[in-house]
Amino acid sequence: MAILGPYSTAVNFAIALAGTPDTRPGTWGNAGFAQNLTKFTPPAGRRVRILRVYGDFIAFCKSGTPAVGTTCEVGWGLKTTAPDGSVRLSNGYDNSFIWLQNIITASRTSCRAEFDHEVSTGGLLQPDHTMISQAFVALNTTGLTIHMEPTFTCVYQFE
């Protein structure tokens, strides 16, 4: 069966998170995440493979300024709906094919990460044809809500 594509589409996901107390061992502050599901509609009998993702990920304090000495880790990634974890690597995530992170501090109240990644090796979606865009805050000791937006173009094919 011939490959159909490549095709491309632009995606934007906006979320504001402060998180809730993170009580896992080795962590502190607040943590939280939000997901945006993108469902592709390939012809019957085909699967979706994400080939390339390019764009930027921005984050900034929704209001206020972090106090000196406080920080917040921010991040975003794309993954399939396969279970989290790895069958080949401890502490790995076989279902994730792009992951970015950055930090907000008193002297750095916003951040931007440009990216352009070829992701075809990990970009084969599950038979449900769903891609998960996930943003998060972690180790947030700022007490502030952080606004985040991944904006990207996704190049894909049906195979």
Side-chain angles (χ1 to χ4, degrees), residues 128-149:
D128 63 7
H129 316 300
T130 301
M131 178 176 69
I132 301 171
S133 175
Q134 182 171 314
F136 75 88
V137 296
L139 310 175
N140 186 359
T141 59
T142 67
L144 301 174
T145 298
I146 309 299
H147 178 85
M148 297 171 284
E149 289 192 37

Side-chain angles (χ1 to χ4, degrees), residues 45-117:
R46 304 283 185 147
R47 294 216 15 217
V48 178
R49 182 178 299 275
I50 309 302
L51 303 172
R52 179 181 171 209
V53 180
Y54 59 96
D56 70 357
F57 169 65
I58 62 169
F60 55 88
C61 300
K62 188 173 177 186
S63 64
T65 302
V68 172
T70 64
T71 59
C72 180
E73 178 185 7
V74 296
W76 168 79
L78 291 173
K79 59 187 192 173
T80 72
T81 56
D84 283 341
S86 177
V87 296
R88 296 176 296 279
L89 178 70
S90 65
N91 299 318
Y93 291 87
D94 295 344
N95 63 337
S96 297
F97 52 93
I98 187 171
W99 205 251
L100 305 170
Q101 62 184 29
N102 220 313
I103 190 166
I104 299 290
T105 67
S107 61
R108 186 174 182 189
T109 59
S110 67
C111 57
R112 178 177 183 258
E114 283 186 73
F115 57 89
D116 186 346
H117 296 287

